[in-house]
Amino acid sequence: MAAVRGLTKLYGIGLHAIRQNTTLKATTFLQQRAFRVNGALRQQPFDSSAEKPQFPGASAEFIDHLEFILPNVISGIPVYRVMDRQGQIINPSEDPKLPKEMVLNFYQKMTLLNTMDRILYESQRQGRISFYMTNYGEEGTHVGSAAALEPTDLVFGQYREAGVLMYRGFPLDLFMAQCYANADDLGKGRQMPVHYGCKDLNFVTISSPLATQIPQAAGAAYAVKRENTNRVVICYFGEGAASEGDAHAGFNFSATLECPLLFFCRNNGYAISTPTNEQYRGDGIAARGPGYGLMSIRVDGNDVFAVYNATKEARRRAVAENQPFLIEAMTYRIGHHSTSDDSSAYRSVDEVNYWDKQDHPISRLRHYMTARGWWGEDEERAWRKQSRKLVMEAFERAEKRLKPNPELLFTDVYDEMIPPIAKQRDAMWRHVQQYKEHYPLDLYEK
């Protein structure tokens, strides 16, 4: 009898556990289901009696006359700005009223980047590094957006966002190490110059293929959403990259999955040698946003405060509402596309000079600071001298460092080296020993 009672009790415990497990599974399923549909644009209730379109793929009304939608249904998406070209605040209510120390940091980071660009560009021309890409004219888009982010936000760059990484604290020594591919390079000398990356600063390593970062950023933002960690992902790209199919995939995935993602397009006028009038026929990149269901804005990329305000508000809403935003920053690429390009073949010197002298983000911010008595000629001369000294010292240290150990060519692919890779490594060393006069191993770390 005791055995029967024990068996009955055991049955009761098992039944309770099964019921709990079933309830838990049902709850989990409902939570997952809610995660997929909450906040989405749900299908409207079907009403067969109403004389209106019931198609599930669009929200519209019937019309009784033939009409094609014109490419530009409005005169053009306006360009949001805070300062005019003389650094004067246009609408006081839009002034971010940043403290003096923060504005000075903006200016110093922008000018330090400019100085680093000049020195590394010349070093490539002298044959000291193999390749370089400058950021001339686009410094405001870097610093304004970077300042509006949190350090934990994940950054996907294209290849002209060095200022974002610099603002986050990436030191000059590591910029130089990457461009020189020396032993201090975080990438171990495997990438071509300007392909920076830093895990500690949440900056994903740049890759050469155009626009591949856009769908990757959408996936990362979906993961961030599931983690619910109050973070966003920001993805930088140019207007030329927006012509790639990857841009379509990234835009659409982020909108349908409702990801906290900021698409930041630097529309600088040229995709290498292709001007915007040959790149697209619509109203820029921001005009594409509504078609994908993206909240969109166009800003003056040469106005660091406009970039800051737009990015900060987009970040706040992306986190709060779980939705992607598209920011198109209108700017101008003053430098050549890269050291492999000669832009004088497709644009005039007068055009470049206008943007360099009349509408430069650095000079605009300097006007703002000067008007408030925060900056003058003495401070300018001292900082220019100091910033050049800082860059040159890092430059000289990088040149003297050894190259990474050649063994690193074969690591970081598998946890343990597999036989085919070991075979390749051995073949390399045999080749190097046979032709050692062509391989100065004393320049490499042991």
Side-chain angles (χ1 to χ4, degrees):
M1 195 67 183
V4 173
R5 283 197 301 270
L7 196 60
T8 304
K9 184 177 182 181
L10 186 62
Y11 171 76
I13 293 171
L15 186 61
H16 178 68
I18 290 169
R19 285 172 175 168
Q20 276 195 325
N21 189 45
T22 305
T23 304
L24 180 61
K25 284 183 177 179
T27 303
T28 303
F29 173 77
L30 289 173
Q31 287 174 342
Q32 290 173 343
R33 176 66 179 168
F35 180 83
R36 288 194 292 270
V37 303
N38 277 352
L41 295 174
R42 294 184 178 83
Q43 181 72 35
Q44 295 299 314
F46 183 76
D47 182 5
S48 59
S49 64
E51 188 60 28
K52 63 180 182 180
Q54 301 290 346
F55 309 113
S59 175
E61 297 294 333
F62 284 121
I63 60 173
D64 57 9
H65 57 281
L66 181 64
E67 181 182 1
F68 289 95
I69 303 299
L70 297 174
N72 293 317
V73 294
I74 58 175
S75 60
I77 295 175
V79 181
Y80 167 70
R81 67 174 182 169
V82 175
M83 291 187 289
D84 63 19
R85 290 168 185 164
Q86 288 70 47
Q88 299 296 316
I89 299 295
I90 300 166
N91 180 355
S93 67
E94 293 296 315
D95 184 352
K97 295 182 174 61
L98 301 176
K100 175 182 176 181
E101 293 73 19
M102 189 173 183
V103 176
L104 291 178
N105 186 37
F106 281 13
Y107 185 77
Q108 290 178 336
K109 288 295 189 295
M110 290 162 70
T111 49
L112 182 62
L113 174 62
N114 191 271
T115 301
M116 184 181 80
D117 276 348
R118 294 182 189 281
I119 290 171
L120 285 175
Y121 183 86
E122 290 303 320
S123 74
Q124 192 282 333
R125 286 295 186 246
Q126 295 166 8
R128 295 179 170 188
I129 61 175
S130 61
F131 178 81
Y132 195 68
M133 303 181 80
T134 65
N135 304 274
Y136 301 146
E138 301 183 48
E139 298 90 347
T141 64
H142 300 186
V143 172
S145 59
L149 302 172
E150 293 296 324
T152 55
D153 294 336
L154 187 63
V155 178
F156 283 81
Q158 185 162 298
Y159 44 60
R160 211 183 301 277
E161 288 86 24
V164 176
L165 197 49
M166 181 177 283
Y167 191 87
R168 288 197 157 199
F170 200 65
L172 288 171
D173 282 309
L174 289 182
F175 279 113
M176 298 295 173
Q178 199 284 324
C179 290
Y180 271 89
N182 67 28
D184 295 329
D185 175 24
L186 299 180
K188 302 179 183 179
R190 297 166 178 155
Q191 287 268 31
M192 64 187 293
V194 307
H195 288 53
Y196 311 111
C198 183
K199 185 177 180 180
D200 291 342
L201 297 176
N202 293 303
F203 192 101
V204 178
T205 302
I206 292 164
S207 56
S208 289
L210 199 62
T212 55
Q213 77 275 17
I214 301 178
Q216 292 167 2
Y222 184 59
V224 164
K225 172 185 175 178
R226 292 184 67 91
E227 289 174 350
N228 193 27
T229 52
N230 196 35
R231 298 171 68 198
V232 299
V233 175
I234 187 167
C235 181
Y236 294 89
F237 56 95
E239 83 286 347
S243 294
E244 295 282 348
D246 282 343
H248 161 77
F251 294 164
N252 204 43
F253 268 118
S254 66
T256 55
L257 295 174
E258 297 179 312
C259 302
L261 173 56
L262 310 185
F263 291 109
F264 194 100
C265 177
R266 299 173 292 91
N267 191 335
N268 64 17
Y270 291 90
I272 309 182
S273 59
T274 304
T276 53
N277 65 340
E278 295 178 18
Q279 187 68 239
Y280 52 74
R281 280 292 181 269
D283 180 25
I285 308 304
R288 303 179 192 180
Y292 288 100
L294 302 175
M295 297 288 287
S296 307
I297 189 171
R298 175 175 288 157
V299 305
D300 183 346
N302 294 342
D303 178 350
V304 69
F305 294 155
V307 175
Y308 174 83
N309 284 353
T311 308
K312 191 173 183 64
E313 177 63 8
R315 187 203 179 278
R316 183 191 69 79
R317 293 188 60 182
V319 170
E321 303 167 14
N322 267 335
Q323 66 170 321
F325 284 74
L326 173 59
I327 300 171
E328 182 182 22
M330 309 304 293
T331 183
Y332 188 82
R333 194 197 78 212
I334 292 173
H336 304 295
H337 174 75
S338 73
T339 49
S340 303
D341 173 48
D342 178 8
S343 64
S344 65
Y346 53 84
R347 60 183 184 177
S348 69
V349 174
D350 290 341
E351 176 183 320
V352 176
N353 283 340
Y354 165 78
W355 291 99
D356 190 23
K357 307 299 182 186
Q358 303 296 324
D359 197 4
H360 198 290
I362 291 177
S363 59
R364 193 186 297 196
L365 185 58
R366 184 179 173 185
H367 289 321
Y368 174 87
M369 296 190 303
T370 301
R372 281 153 181 76
W374 295 353
W375 199 256
E377 288 297 330
D378 292 342
E379 290 86 354
E380 181 71 16
R381 280 192 297 270
W383 170 243
R384 291 288 182 177
K385 183 178 179 180
Q386 182 187 352
S387 61
R388 180 173 177 79
K389 183 174 182 287
L390 291 170
V391 174
M392 288 303 300
E393 287 174 349
F395 174 85
E396 290 168 3
R397 286 192 293 269
E399 270 199 323
K400 293 174 183 176
R401 287 289 285 123
L402 295 175
K403 298 294 184 182
N405 188 318
E407 286 275 346
L408 295 174
L409 280 167
F410 306 97
T411 60
D412 299 331
V413 179
Y414 296 92
D415 183 40
E416 295 181 7
M417 189 176 295
I418 61 173
I421 292 183
K423 186 178 179 181
Q424 292 175 29
R425 179 198 59 189
D426 296 341
M428 182 205 75
W429 282 120
R430 286 195 300 272
H431 174 85
V432 169
Q433 289 302 318
Q434 184 176 355
Y435 302 100
K436 55 187 173 183
E437 68 274 15
H438 299 292
Y439 297 96
L441 293 179
D442 57 321
L443 299 180
Y444 291 78
E445 281 198 333
K446 304 302 182 190

